[in-house]
Amino acid sequence: MRLPEHLELLLTDEPVLDVYSHGPWRVPDGLFEEIAARIDGLAADPRAVALTTEEHKLLTLPASLVTAEIFGMLAFLPGGGAIKAGSWSQLPERLLYRHLSGPGPLSTRMTRWDAPGGRWRPPVDWLIEAPDRGLAIELARDCLSVLEGIEPLEERRKALLRLYDDPPECEIGLPKQELREHWHAHAGDDIVAAVPELLGPVGYLEWVCAGLLAAFERVLEAAPRDESVEVHLLHLLLQGSMEHVPAELAVALGEDRYGELRQRFAAERRGFKAGAWQERTRAWLAEALVAGAADACRGWLDMAMRFIATVQGLPGDPWFPKAEWIPVGQFQTDLRRLYAPRRRVVNPLTETLRSVPGEGAGAAGAARGVRPDIASALVEQPEAAAALAELTGGTGTGAPVRLLLAGPDGTGKRDAAQELGRALALGRDPHWITENLFAGQRLPDAVARLHADARDCAGDRLLVIDGLDGIVADPGNGEALAAELHRLLAVHPDLHLVALCDAGGEERIREINPVLPQLFRVARTRPFTADGHAELFRRALAARGARGTRPAVAAAGALLAATPPMQTLRNARLAPHLADQVVAAARARQEAAGTAPDAEIVVRKQDLPAALDTARAAGNPLAELNDLTGLDTVKHEIALLVAGTHAARLRSENGLKITPPTRHMVFTGNPGTGKTMVARLLGRIYKRLGVLSSGHLVEASRAHLVGEYIGQTAPRTRRLVERALGGVLFIDEAYTLTQSPLKGDYGHEAIAELVKLMEDHREDLVVVVAGYQQEMAEFLAANPGLDSRFPKQIHFPDYSDDELITVFGQLAAADGFELAAGTEEVLRAMLRRAPRGPSFGNGRLMRNMLDVAVANQADRVASAAVHARKAVQGAKAGGEEGGEPPAAPSKEDLVTLTADDLPPLLDHPEEFFGLYL
């Protein structure tokens, strides 16, 4: 059971301001003192020093008008009726202490709270005695400016500043209500979104009701109880001591719900007890809190308090809620009571009874002192299960847990860490940090983060580092972070730590810091056999409310074991992927057979697909390649690659020695010549030939490889290559990696990392770099190792006019359109006049021109339909027996593109690209 990380500040003794709508915020040291000094400075400003009032009830008289304005702002900025809590939540008392007539003691209790009504006053309200309107608004703006830096109030403060920067044109002497309405109406949507009180009392009530109902539904999901929305609203009204249902709720909730509230109000009022409702509500919120809905509970409390403040203030603004019984303080107490760190002592019975012999597997587990379900929770991972049993065996040595789990992705490492965290029961849920948190950070920042996490977790929390091998292998900070972690393990002897690595990760760590792996119990995970996949599939079916027959489960295990992984879809993640498909197939089969809808779903062997295509690429890619328009030289080159693969297989089958060729290649050509499409087909072709395991395509550009600062490029390039393993990595405009004019550009670092990874994964990765012919030649010359690693270069020529017309027709047919007679001739005339050059769009140009033609055709047929309908209506109204009205477009008209639908012929061919590219 863990509190959301952003709320954990509430369990500390730090100076905290907790505006519920924003969340807990640690007040920076010295900030409030600085703001108080700014306020004193503004009050002493020559523009304001003479502006005072004798009417303020809480400030020392005579009170400065700017101080009165700031006092009102501090009440209003958290929100109308909004909850403000935390150990430093007394904003007026802390910031205006010197100006208060009777300052009370300052509380430092974290559970302290209040909900000020906070009425917004126009800038010329308190400051009406300023010599002119401009000075009043200027001083009001300065009052907001001195409050800068209180993060929970910043969005609303900045919104009001934008409003004050553009005041409405109105007389200063208008009645206050009319003056406020001018300001409300003048506020833009962005300002009202941040300060919904400017909608007026009814508009704000509508905004509050929407949030209240949303929060109520979410808390009800976490902690169900038999209470309708209408009863819930009535109880809130009664809890707020309301004597009737306000008419404004008809606007906020709708007339039907308002009518039902009025009808039921008297009956609910007769049996209502405020104290009993408060206790029931406290218990309901506590139940939702432990169910993981802490944010929803806080949202409901905030909106419920605003609701009461708003309805009590009607027909005016929200004001300080009177006699409310919303259990805010009790909720805050429960939150700390349930989640705050606690001291623990060992009950001697836990050790005494642990050794009592029992029956079955459970007794065997108890004899070892390990939870009997730990081993069964992990599938086919004996090393990890043994490590968990050893570390939770209750040997009484008091040694900290230090475990390093290494293995392929998706083999249960994270599950094992979660199991260990539950078994240790340290008081707080495990704290996870990942490799990405350290990528590209400055070394002092990365070290500070590591120290803070270790210090926070020492003693009562399991620290899990996901990707430790990647952290220590980082060329920038890795070695220093490895040494720092080694030091921290000695400094914090009570730190429990689990490190997760890829397969062989412990060896990569040993290369950087030979001592570090020796401090861990090392366990390795492994890919699953068919039996392991079958068990994972059985569990996935159970999680979906289904079960499988024994032959179906066994067949699924064999199918999953034979399925090549694709990107992150690998190992244990394949079983849920297959389960989703077969459960849907089994449900459809049972429905077709007339089985009752609520009957158990039973998966049979016939529901399994013949093959699990993780790349979702059906069809014959060779046939699709041959069907492409043009590209004859490209098709010939691909055919040679296929023939070479077949020949290598024949040599291997006859016992001859073969050397796997380097399959990385360069595609050159202008835009729209099919480079990306052919790369996608190439991956699928190589998959069918058994060269690649999945055949998927990962498209990338410079932005995917090159980081913004030192230390970011290599990890980014590695992650991209890992996504492409088993398929084709297609890097478009690859020459941009070497063309940056900036000094210290990281493009060459990306190339160096890419060259290394291409060699490491040459057996299950094809890298295709693409771009203009001349630029790609310069790219290959930029790095000595590039040219040799891309032995195959294929040029994609521009399409001829006839080929482009064929492409246009194919695209139109794929979209469900036909070309009328004469359309191709007009298109040919346009292409004949089009300038050809490096920027000519080829097939991409045809797609853009088709989009223009479809838009023109849509306008044409829609206009014809409107004219036909008006003609029919006019004939009926006039009763005339005139000629036949124009006919509505036929089905054939709707799917036909004519020459008139094409873009117009241009007098200046150079305009061609600007219009259609």
Side-chain angles (χ1 to χ4, degrees), residues 176-516:
K176 288 185 178 181
Q177 185 59 35
E178 189 175 344
L179 185 65
R180 295 178 71 221
E181 289 174 359
H182 276 284
W183 282 84
H184 290 178
H186 191 66
D189 289 346
D190 62 322
I191 296 173
V192 174
V195 191
E197 294 91 335
L198 299 181
L199 294 168
V202 177
Y204 184 56
L205 177 63
E206 185 175 13
W207 181 87
V208 168
C209 286
L212 174 63
L213 296 182
F216 173 68
E217 291 177 2
R218 176 64 187 92
V219 178
L220 207 60
E221 288 178 7
R225 68 175 182 175
D226 187 17
E227 180 177 270
S228 67
V229 171
E230 290 74 21
V231 170
H232 185 69
L233 292 170
L234 286 171
H235 287 176
L236 279 175
L237 290 172
L238 294 169
Q239 199 71 8
S241 304
M242 296 297 294
E243 300 292 332
H244 65 285
V245 178
E248 290 84 352
L249 285 175
V251 178
L253 298 171
E255 294 181 5
D256 292 342
R257 180 164 281 169
Y258 168 70
E260 187 169 351
L261 292 179
R262 287 195 60 191
Q263 182 180 354
R264 302 176 63 170
F265 183 78
E268 290 294 334
R269 185 179 183 183
R270 281 194 295 272
F272 185 76
K273 301 292 184 185
W277 181 89
Q278 186 190 45
E279 289 303 316
R280 289 197 308 272
T281 303
R282 176 182 184 177
W284 176 55
L285 293 173
E287 182 181 346
L289 181 62
V290 299
D295 286 319
C297 293
R298 286 163 54 88
W300 179 86
L301 287 166
D302 191 37
M303 289 298 127
M305 190 62 67
R306 292 181 194 236
F307 178 78
I308 289 180
T310 305
V311 296
Q312 287 182 348
L314 292 172
D317 298 306
W319 203 235
F320 293 87
K322 309 169 193 171
E324 94 297 323
W325 288 64
I326 306 296
V328 180
Q330 295 91 326
F331 172 80
Q332 297 188 145
T333 299
D334 289 342
L335 185 145
R336 289 178 66 88
R337 181 171 58 87
L338 292 168
Y339 288 98
R342 297 181 300 278
R343 292 188 301 170
R344 283 178 168 80
V345 294
V346 177
N347 188 316
L349 288 177
T350 61
E351 297 296 328
T352 304
L353 299 182
R354 180 175 291 171
S355 59
V356 174
E359 297 178 359
R368 295 193 309 270
V370 60
R371 272 178 31 198
D373 60 335
I374 283 185
S376 61
L378 300 176
V379 176
E380 277 196 340
Q381 303 302 341
E383 280 193 49
L388 296 189
E390 176 184 322
L391 295 171
T392 58
T395 59
T397 62
V401 168
R402 304 282 170 80
L403 175 63
L404 189 149
L405 291 168
D409 205 17
T411 51
K413 293 176 294 184
R414 295 178 182 88
D415 290 340
Q418 295 278 25
E419 285 292 327
L420 182 58
R422 284 190 286 268
L424 293 174
L426 293 173
R428 291 194 288 165
D429 285 351
H431 177 59
W432 291 71
I433 57 177
T434 65
E435 173 186 356
N436 291 335
L437 293 173
F438 296 92
Q441 281 198 3
R442 294 171 56 250
L443 180 59
D445 295 336
V447 170
R449 173 64 188 258
L450 191 61
H451 272 265
D453 288 329
R455 185 170 58 251
D456 177 64
C457 295
D460 66 344
R461 193 175 197 181
L462 177 66
L463 176 61
V464 183
I465 303 180
D466 195 345
L468 178 60
D469 52 337
I471 293 173
V472 303
D474 181 87
N477 298 336
E479 187 172 353
L481 288 174
E484 205 65 34
L485 180 60
H486 182 190
R487 189 176 298 115
L488 285 171
L489 291 176
V491 170
H492 297 287
D494 55 347
L495 175 62
H496 302 282
L497 175 63
V498 174
L500 309 183
C501 306
D502 287 334
E506 72 278 15
E507 295 303 325
R508 286 190 289 276
I509 295 172
R510 186 173 285 110
E511 292 173 1
I512 304 298
N513 189 313
V515 178
L516 191 56

Side-chain angles (χ1 to χ4, degrees), residues 116-130:
R119 174 180 306 183
W120 178 73
R121 301 169 179 267
V124 291
D125 191 340
W126 276 113
L127 295 164
I128 195 170
E129 296 180 27

Side-chain angles (χ1 to χ4, degrees), residues 578-898:
L578 176 61
D580 287 334
Q581 298 181 28
V582 300
V583 168
R587 182 181 290 111
R589 172 176 53 76
Q590 292 184 185
E591 289 175 355
T595 306
D598 57 347
E600 181 186 25
I601 299 173
V602 180
V603 173
R604 303 188 182 280
K605 190 174 181 180
Q606 67 196 70
D607 298 319
L608 297 172
L612 184 59
D613 184 11
T614 53
R616 299 185 182 276
N620 185 340
L622 281 170
E624 293 179 35
L625 178 66
N626 290 327
D627 288 341
L628 294 179
T629 301
L631 303 179
D632 291 337
T633 57
V634 175
K635 294 174 184 177
H636 176 68
E637 293 292 343
I638 299 295
L640 291 178
L641 294 175
V642 173
T645 303
H646 281 304
R649 178 175 297 169
L650 291 173
R651 293 190 189 98
S652 176
E653 291 172 353
N654 284 276
L656 300 176
K657 181 181 178 181
I658 60 170
T659 301
T662 300
R663 295 186 173 88
H664 311 303
M665 58 189 74
V666 179
F667 286 179
T668 61
N670 291 331
T673 49
K675 299 186 291 295
T676 305
M677 183 165 43
V678 170
R680 182 174 286 107
L681 291 173
L682 181 66
R684 292 170 55 195
I685 290 170
Y686 274 152
K687 180 190 176 184
R688 286 172 64 93
L689 295 173
V691 173
L692 295 176
S693 59
S694 68
H696 66 283
L697 179 77
V698 173
E699 296 183 56
S701 62
R702 173 188 167 89
H704 293 90
L705 294 125
V706 180
E708 291 98 19
Y709 39 80
I710 189 169
Q712 192 181 34
T713 297
R716 186 175 287 189
T717 304
R718 285 198 299 272
R719 286 194 293 270
L720 183 67
V721 169
E722 287 168 1
R723 284 178 52 209
L725 288 179
V728 173
L729 174 58
F730 181 79
I731 305 176
D732 200 9
E733 297 182 344
Y735 52 84
T736 58
L737 293 171
T738 60
Q739 286 186 343
S740 174
L742 299 176
K743 184 179 180 181
D745 179 70
Y746 304 125
H748 290 278
E749 181 185 349
I751 293 174
E753 185 70 17
L754 182 64
V755 166
K756 176 182 181 299
L757 294 169
M758 287 165 55
E759 192 63 31
D760 292 344
H761 303 289
R762 59 180 295 173
E763 294 182 357
D764 200 18
L765 175 69
V766 171
V767 176
V768 177
V769 291
Y772 294 110
Q773 192 167 13
Q774 178 60 37
E775 284 81 350
M776 291 306 297
E778 296 171 359
F779 166 74
L780 295 175
N783 184 294
L786 278 178
D787 197 42
S788 62
R789 285 174 172 80
F790 291 99
K792 192 70 173 178
Q793 300 186 25
I794 301 178
H795 182 65
F796 287 66
D798 287 342
Y799 288 102
S800 66
D801 288 355
D802 290 338
E803 290 171 344
L804 288 173
I805 291 171
T806 301
V807 169
F808 188 89
Q810 291 173 339
L811 292 172
D815 289 350
F817 290 96
E818 301 173 355
L819 302 183
T823 306
E824 292 184 358
E825 286 71 19
V826 175
L827 185 59
R828 182 175 281 104
M830 296 179 67
L831 291 172
R832 196 177 299 121
R833 301 182 61 188
R836 298 291 179 104
S839 299
F840 185 73
N842 290 288
R844 194 174 305 157
L845 173 64
M846 292 300 97
R847 163 49 68 187
N848 294 340
M849 292 184 69
L850 176 63
D851 290 342
V852 174
V854 170
N856 291 338
Q857 190 256 16
D859 181 64
R860 174 171 58 81
V861 297
S863 299
V866 170
H867 290 321
R869 185 167 58 254
K870 287 183 177 179
V872 171
Q873 292 172 349
K876 289 181 179 179
E880 299 178 359
E881 298 285 340
E884 288 291 327
S890 65
K891 182 178 179 180
E892 183 177 354
D893 293 333
L894 294 174
V895 298
T896 301
L897 298 176
T898 68

